[in-house]
Amino acid sequence: MDQKMFCYQCEQTAGCAGCTGSTGVCGKTAETARLQDQLVGAMIGLARAAEGVECPGDRVYRTVIEGLFTTLTNVSFDDDAILAQIEKTHREKERLLAAPVKKSAGPREKAAGESGAAASVQDTDDYNLGLLWDMDPDIRSLKSLILFGLKGMAAYAYHALMLGASDETVNQFFLTGLREIAKDGTVESLLPTVLKVGEVNLTCMAMLDAANTGTYGTPIPVSVPLVVERGPFIVVTGHDLKDLELLLKQTEGKGVNIYTHGEMLPAHAYPELRKYPQLKGNFGTAWQNQQKEFVDIPAPVLFTTNCFFFFNATEDNQIYTTSVVGYEGMVHIQEGVDGKKDFSPLIRQALELGGYEHDRSMSGINGGHIMTTGFAHGTVLANAQKVISAIRQGKIKHIFLVGGCDGSRPGWNYYTEFVRQTPPDTVILTLACGKYRFNDLDLGTIGGLPRVMDIGQCNDAYSAIQIALALADAFDCGVNDLPLSMILSWYEQKAVCILLTLLHLGIKDIRLGPTLPAFISPNVLNFLVEKFNIAPITTPEEDLKAILGE
C-alpha cells in the first residue's frame, strides 16, 4: 500500500475505509500508527517465543495485556511511551528465549520437561503487520476481527489485573490469538478462532465483573446529579475503578470534590466507592464532547483509559494521564513498584485553581439534570420476579438493549430518537457511553422500575448477558425467543470483542450502527448475515416497526 499510514480499527475511520494520510481521524499521527503496528508485531514475536512454554509467566502476560491495550483507539498518542513498550516486549522475549523453560507437548515441541527455548530465534522475529493490511480481503477481515477483539479484551483483562484478578485461560489465549495473526490461514480455519475470541472474552468479562463486585460491592441503583458544587474539584474519566479509588483515598479531608465523566459514571453505584462523601456527581456527557466540556474548566482532569481526545496546548497543563494512556507533553502519573500512584499534583492544582465560585448546573444531551445507574445483573435479577410477572401480564411487551459506544459522526442521534420513540410498555437496558444519547430522558416507570435502566460500563455487557440468560431460563426458551432486541452502537475495539461474545452465544438479529465496520469484507458480512441475521440500523421508525411487527 502506497500511503503514509493505514488504520481502520475504529468506526470513524476516514471514508469508512481507512485512515491513510499524515494524521488519523482520532488525531494520531502516521508515526504513532507505525509504532503501534510495530508494537503489535513485537507482541506477535513474544507470543511465538512463548509457544509451547507451559507457563510463560505473569511478566509476559502483563506485557502483552498492556501492549494490546496501548494500541486501542484513543489510548496512547505518546510515541516515547509506545517505544518504551516495544523495548519492554523485546526484553521479555529475550528473557524467555534465554531461560531454560518447561515445555508442553505440541506440534512443534518435544516432550514436556525438555530444557531450552521454546522456539528458534528466526521463528520469533517481530511480525511485519503491514503484511496483514495487504492480505486477501477476507483473510484480512477475519484476522482483523481476531486482533481487534484481542485489543478490546486486553482492556478488560488490564482492569481486572489492577484489582488482582487474572485467568490463565484468558492469558494464554492472548498469545494464541496473536500467533494466529502471523500464521497462514483460510476462511475456514480462521472462523473458529474469531468466535473463540468471543468465548474467551465472556470469561474475561466474568472475571472483571467478579473483581469489581468483590472489591467494591454489588452496584445498587442511584440517581447521580449533574451539578458541580462550588470549590475545588477533579474530574475523572475512563473506566479504571482502581484509579478512582486511589484518588478518593488521597483526597479525603482535602476539600477537593471528585466528579466522574463518561464511562466512569457507573462508579457511583458501587457501595465501596459511593461511601466517599467527596464523590459528588457526574461532569458532562460522553467522550467526544471533551473538547467542549473541558474548555476553561477550573479543575484538573484525570484520564484513566480511553477515550482520550487530543487537546490544544493551552489546556495541556490541566490534563493528566495514567496507566497506558499517554499524550506527549502531558503529566503522566506513574504506578510505583508498590502498585500505588501519587495523585498529589492533581490535588495541589485543584486547590490552586479553586473550582467554580458558585454551584454550576450542567445538563445531559437532552437537557436533563439527573442520570441513574446501577442496574447491573445483581439488582435486576433480585427483581427478576417483577420483570417476569410484568412480561407475563403484558405490562412489558418488549425489552430493548440499546447500548455501546458513542461518537461524533452524523447519525448517532439515531439512538436518541429510537429510545424516545419506544412504546411506553417497553423497557430499555443500556450500557457504555452510548447511553449518554438518552440517559437524561425521563421515560417513566413500569412496575416500579424505570423504563431506562443503565447496566454500567461497556464491560458490563456481561450483566446484560446474565439478565438475558436468566429470563430465557425463566421462560424455558432460548435468548433468541425472548421479546428482546439488541440495537448496538460501536466505535472501538471493546465493542468488537463484545459483539464476538454475543455471536459466540448464538444471539441473532442484532442491529449494528451507525455504520458497519470497514474491516468487515463483503463475504464476511454475508456470512454474519446468513448465520446470525446481523443487520445495519436504518431509521428508528423502520426498525421499531420491523421489531414490533407494527
Side-chain angles (χ1 to χ4, degrees):
M1 291 183 178
D2 184 19
Q3 49 206 5
K4 294 181 180 179
M5 65 181 283
F6 181 75
C7 183
Y8 67 165
Q9 68 178 10
C10 84
E11 190 273 336
Q12 294 188 169
T13 193
C16 294
C19 293
T20 59
S22 58
T23 305
V25 173
C26 69
K28 71 180 176 184
T29 65
E31 176 62 10
T32 301
R34 184 189 69 79
L35 289 172
Q36 289 182 348
D37 281 1
Q38 186 178 335
L39 175 54
V40 172
M43 288 186 290
I44 290 174
L46 175 57
R48 285 164 153 178
E51 187 168 10
V53 177
E54 190 172 290
C55 185
D58 292 341
R59 286 174 53 174
V60 169
Y61 295 148
R62 177 158 182 168
T63 297
V64 169
I65 289 169
E66 287 180 342
L68 285 167
F69 194 5
T70 295
T71 65
L72 198 80
T73 296
N74 288 350
V75 169
S76 183
F77 299 81
D78 188 336
D79 291 354
D80 289 340
I82 299 171
L83 278 168
Q85 189 66 32
I86 293 171
E87 292 168 0
K88 179 180 179 181
T89 305
H90 286 158
R91 288 195 302 271
E92 282 303 305
K93 181 175 72 175
E94 291 164 5
R95 183 185 64 82
L96 196 62
L97 288 170
V101 296
K102 184 176 181 181
K103 299 180 185 178
S104 58
R108 290 199 314 150
E109 312 301 333
K110 295 183 180 180
E114 179 184 353
S115 296
S120 64
V121 174
Q122 61 265 32
D123 289 335
T124 64
D125 289 345
D126 289 2
Y127 180 70
N128 176 10
L129 204 62
L131 297 174
L132 172 59
W133 311 139
D134 283 328
M135 286 183 182
D136 168 85
D138 296 333
I139 301 300
R140 181 179 76 165
S141 180
L142 293 171
K143 288 190 174 185
S144 294
L145 278 167
I146 294 168
L147 176 58
F148 300 158
L150 291 175
K151 290 185 178 188
M153 185 166 67
Y156 300 150
Y158 180 88
H159 296 316
L161 190 61
M162 294 303 99
L163 296 175
S166 184
D167 183 278
E168 185 69 15
T169 298
V170 173
N171 291 336
Q172 284 280 3
F173 186 74
F174 281 123
L175 304 177
T176 301
L178 284 169
R179 287 192 291 266
E180 199 71 30
I181 305 301
K183 291 179 180 178
D184 291 334
T186 63
V187 170
E188 292 74 19
S189 68
L190 289 169
L191 275 171
T193 306
V194 170
L195 294 179
K196 186 70 175 181
V197 175
E199 178 186 346
V200 177
N201 183 58
L202 182 62
T203 300
C204 188
M205 290 193 299
M207 172 177 66
L208 179 54
D209 178 78
N212 283 340
T213 56
T215 304
Y216 304 115
T218 300
I220 56 176
V222 60
S223 295
V224 183
L226 301 182
V227 176
V228 181
E229 297 180 9
R230 61 185 295 273
F233 68 97
I234 297 171
V235 175
V236 186
T237 189
H239 305 73
D240 202 297
L241 300 181
K242 181 65 175 179
D243 283 333
L244 176 61
E245 179 193 20
L246 292 174
L247 182 61
L248 287 168
K249 287 181 176 179
Q250 293 178 36
T251 51
E252 282 189 287
K254 299 289 179 65
V256 177
N257 290 330
I258 306 298
Y259 293 87
T260 57
H261 173 270
E263 282 263 49
M264 199 62 82
L265 170 66
H268 291 272
Y270 288 92
E272 290 301 308
L273 296 174
R274 188 163 178 76
K275 71 181 183 182
Y276 292 92
Q278 72 269 34
L279 182 61
K280 293 291 186 177
N282 194 68
F283 185 101
T285 54
W287 70 270
Q288 75 277 4
N289 297 321
Q290 293 168 23
Q291 291 182 320
K292 294 183 294 184
E293 294 174 345
F294 292 167
V295 171
D296 298 326
I297 176 177
V301 179
L302 175 65
F303 280 82
T304 66
T305 64
N306 67 315
C307 288
F308 185 96
F309 222 159
F310 52 97
F311 287 84
N312 297 322
T314 55
E315 300 160 333
D316 289 356
N317 66 345
Q318 288 175 229
I319 305 296
Y320 295 78
T321 61
T322 191
S323 70
V324 297
V325 186
Y327 197 91
E328 187 176 359
M330 293 186 180
V331 178
H332 187 77
I333 305 298
Q334 294 280 5
E335 180 183 30
V337 292
D338 58 356
K340 300 293 179 62
K341 297 181 181 182
D342 180 9
F343 290 117
S344 58
L346 286 86
I347 298 170
R348 284 196 300 271
Q349 188 175 55
L351 292 169
E352 291 168 2
L353 292 170
Y356 295 115
E357 292 184 8
H358 307 283
D359 290 358
R360 184 185 180 95
S361 179
M362 305 184 74
S363 65
I365 289 175
N366 304 287
H369 297 283
I370 292 287
M371 295 175 178
T372 59
T373 189
F375 291 92
H377 64 94
T379 292
V380 175
L381 295 184
N383 290 275
Q385 288 307 314
K386 284 186 181 180
V387 177
I388 293 167
S389 295
I391 293 174
R392 284 179 170 153
Q393 294 170 15
K395 294 179 180 178
I396 295 178
K397 295 288 181 60
H398 208 87
I399 299 173
F400 296 99
L401 175 61
V402 186
C405 309
D406 201 358
S408 56
R409 188 200 295 269
W412 288 89
N413 63 330
Y414 163 94
Y415 298 94
T416 307
E417 292 308 312
F418 184 96
V419 169
R420 200 193 301 270
Q421 294 179 35
T422 54
D425 54 2
T426 61
V427 167
I428 298 94
L429 302 177
T430 188
L431 50 81
C433 60
K435 62 174 163 266
Y436 281 100
R437 289 285 166 173
F438 50 81
N439 69 338
D440 63 325
L441 293 173
D442 182 3
L443 297 185
T445 63
I446 295 181
L449 295 171
R451 283 192 58 221
V452 178
M453 290 185 274
D454 175 21
I455 294 172
Q457 296 179 328
C458 56
N459 51 277
D460 291 310
Y462 177 76
S463 269
I465 290 168
Q466 296 310 302
I467 292 168
L469 292 175
L471 288 175
D473 184 63
F475 286 99
D476 193 23
C477 66
V479 172
N480 292 319
D481 301 314
L482 290 170
L484 168 68
S485 299
M486 298 189 182
I487 296 86
L488 307 182
S489 56
W490 85 281
Y491 177 79
E492 38 88 333
Q493 297 76 59
K494 285 181 280 186
V496 175
C497 66
I498 291 170
L499 176 63
L500 294 180
T501 294
L502 297 175
L503 298 183
H504 155 71
L505 292 170
I507 295 175
K508 298 182 178 181
D509 300 318
I510 296 170
R511 283 172 166 77
L512 183 64
T515 61
L516 294 179
F519 49 82
I520 300 295
S521 69
N523 287 333
V524 172
L525 178 60
N526 288 339
F527 167 80
L528 295 176
V529 170
E530 291 173 5
K531 186 172 179 62
F532 300 102
N533 202 29
I534 196 168
I537 59 171
T538 59
T539 67
E541 295 82 4
E542 291 177 2
D543 288 344
L544 280 168
K545 183 178 180 180
I547 292 168
L548 299 175
E550 298 177 352

